[in-house]
Amino acid sequence: MPIWVFTQTKTQFVLVITSMESCWEDIVELRTLRYFVAVAEELHFGRAAQRLNMAQPPLSQQIQKLEVELGVQLLTRTKRTVSLTQPGELLLASARLILQQAQTAVAGVRAAGQGVVGSLAIGMINAVSLQGQIYDVLRRYHEEHPGVGVTIKIMTSVEALRALRTEDIQVALLRAPLNDRTIQTEVIMTEQLLLAVPENHPLAKTKGSVRVSELGEEPFVMLPRSAGFGLSEQIMQICKKAGFSPKIHQDVYELPTICGLVAAGFGVSLVPSSALISPQRGAVFKALEPNEFVDTLVAYRAPEKSPPLGAFLEVLRQHPKINSSLDVPRGSSL
């Protein structure tokens, strides 16, 4: 029984047929394989010709020529039926695989021509994942560089920083501040920091902004300093500047949960304006006096020469600031 082996040259797929008695090499073009697969799947020359958008006689001639070149009968033909011989069934399975491999190779070459190829692991804090415009950035990146496999990992700022150092991810979107000379950062979003209070709280009924110094005796709901050190540290510094250390009654890892506990009366909190994307019923958001802002950064190892990362940073820099939340002007309230 012959052994069928397919290899690839620069321009054609080569079908090598070997047996105990002989060994020869025939050139089989991809076009001919497509013709054969169409006939083998339709088992009807007329339908196969329609599928290939060609006339039936040339198709029949190509299949006959293929059988002559290979020295085997691939199809059994009668006036009413067409069926595959055993060599034909074997060729069909191999031809399908070859055509798929060729399609994959062409797609890969085209992707490389359109941009970079490879992989990119992105770490993202939960607050950034809620920002609708970050997905506009990811969509554009995917469209411009389809050859890059993107992996998104939702993590805390501390986890993202650790993953950058261990190279588990190549880039992270996290909160400022960040002090690490091996990590390069750029600001991609600036949000106003707001006071979140329960709707029945006295501060919720005041007009205008709230001075941070008025919060000295209030219980706080905050991100743990060990988990989201960027925002937590900034809040600690804001309170310290106002003359007090916040009384932390609840440590919570997610921004929606913070707002939910505020609405439930567990305390107050300082939250970025992205909290207004899906405001929690029962919570009121007030501007601070003086106004405070929080930055979101893109962070990556320095120096970084990865083509997929470089392309991602370029798309990010060309996009407007990723801030789909509602910024609250100085002195206003909701």
Side-chain angles (χ1 to χ4, degrees), residues 47-64:
R47 289 195 300 269
Q50 290 179 350
R51 170 173 158 181
L52 295 166
N53 195 27
M54 64 184 297
Q56 182 175 331
L59 176 60
S60 298
Q61 294 171 8
Q62 288 293 326
I63 299 302
Q64 292 172 2

Side-chain angles (χ1 to χ4, degrees), residues 291-310:
N291 264 354
E292 298 287 350
F293 298 89
V294 58
D295 291 333
T296 299
L297 309 174
V298 56
Y300 50 95
R301 290 177 63 87
E304 178 57 67
K305 299 180 180 179
S306 162
L309 174 56

Side-chain angles (χ1 to χ4, degrees), residues 161-206:
L161 182 58
R162 185 184 304 118
L164 280 175
R165 289 168 176 160
T166 58
E167 300 185 14
D168 290 333
I169 60 175
Q170 287 76 54
V171 62
L173 305 177
L174 42 73
R175 296 290 190 198
L178 181 62
N179 298 313
D180 189 322
R181 293 183 179 180
T182 67
I183 304 298
Q184 185 75 30
T185 64
E186 301 174 28
V187 176
I188 62 169
M189 178 170 64
T190 298
E191 298 178 74
Q192 192 168 344
L193 203 58
L194 305 175
L195 169 66
V197 296
E199 62 181 0
N200 60 355
H201 193 284
L203 291 174
K205 298 176 173 57
T206 61

Side-chain angles (χ1 to χ4, degrees), residues 23-333:
C23 177
W24 69 92
E25 185 176 280
D26 287 301
I27 301 297
V28 179
E29 296 183 352
L30 288 177
R31 180 181 59 182
T32 305
L33 288 181
R34 291 192 184 96
Y35 292 164
F36 171 74
V37 169
V39 174
E41 291 180 345
E42 298 291 342
L43 293 178
H44 191 284
F45 278 88
R47 289 195 300 269
Q50 290 179 350
R51 170 173 158 181
L52 295 166
N53 195 27
M54 64 184 297
Q56 182 175 331
L59 176 60
S60 298
Q61 294 171 8
Q62 288 293 326
I63 299 302
Q64 292 172 2
K65 180 181 178 182
L66 177 62
E67 289 179 319
V68 171
E69 289 177 346
L70 299 181
V72 294
Q73 184 178 355
L74 301 172
L75 300 167
T76 299
R77 308 164 180 83
T78 68
K79 291 184 178 181
R80 295 185 178 181
T81 63
V82 176
S83 59
L84 285 168
T85 63
Q86 185 177 4
E89 291 178 351
L90 180 60
L91 179 58
L92 176 60
S94 299
R96 282 171 171 165
L97 178 60
I98 290 171
L99 291 174
Q100 180 60 49
Q101 290 174 338
Q103 184 177 359
T104 301
V106 170
V109 170
R110 286 176 176 169
Q114 294 173 3
V116 296
V117 295
S119 61
L120 183 68
I122 305 173
M124 188 184 303
I125 62 173
N126 185 67
V128 175
S129 71
L130 298 176
Q131 294 285 341
Q133 291 191 40
I134 186 60
Y135 300 103
D136 293 337
V137 172
L138 294 174
R139 183 184 303 108
R140 178 179 169 186
Y141 181 70
H142 178 65
E143 290 174 351
E144 294 184 1
H145 306 287
V148 178
V150 177
T151 302
I152 304 295
K153 301 181 180 181
I154 304 300
M155 48 183 52
T156 66
S157 292
V158 169
E159 291 170 340
L161 182 58
R162 185 184 304 118
L164 280 175
R165 289 168 176 160
T166 58
E167 300 185 14
D168 290 333
I169 60 175
Q170 287 76 54
V171 62
L173 305 177
L174 42 73
R175 296 290 190 198
L178 181 62
N179 298 313
D180 189 322
R181 293 183 179 180
T182 67
I183 304 298
Q184 185 75 30
T185 64
E186 301 174 28
V187 176
I188 62 169
M189 178 170 64
T190 298
E191 298 178 74
Q192 192 168 344
L193 203 58
L194 305 175
L195 169 66
V197 296
E199 62 181 0
N200 60 355
H201 193 284
L203 291 174
K205 298 176 173 57
T206 61
K207 293 183 179 180
S209 58
V210 175
R211 295 190 304 274
V212 178
S213 58
E214 297 180 59
L215 307 176
E217 299 301 320
E218 298 291 339
F220 272 71
V221 181
M222 286 179 54
L223 292 167
R225 298 178 72 179
S226 60
F229 65 89
L231 181 57
S232 297
E233 282 299 323
Q234 185 171 351
I235 292 174
M236 296 296 289
Q237 293 302 316
I238 290 172
C239 293
K240 182 179 180 180
K241 186 169 59 176
F244 69 95
S245 294
K247 300 177 180 179
I248 302 174
H249 282 209
Q250 295 286 334
D251 282 333
V252 181
Y253 283 83
E254 303 291 346
L255 181 59
T257 307
I258 290 177
C259 295
L261 289 178
V262 169
F266 281 79
V268 304
S269 190
L270 301 185
V271 298
S273 57
S274 53
L276 300 180
I277 295 175
S278 299
Q280 178 69 45
R281 291 181 57 185
V284 173
F285 299 88
K286 309 278 291 184
L288 296 172
E289 185 179 336
N291 264 354
E292 298 287 350
F293 298 89
V294 58
D295 291 333
T296 299
L297 309 174
V298 56
Y300 50 95
R301 290 177 63 87
E304 178 57 67
K305 299 180 180 179
S306 162
L309 174 56
F312 178 74
L313 294 175
E314 187 62 27
V315 172
L316 201 57
R317 290 165 185 151
Q318 293 174 1
H319 196 278
K321 293 297 184 182
I322 306 170
N323 191 352
S324 58
S325 63
L326 174 64
D327 284 335
V328 180
R330 180 184 179 90
S332 68
S333 64

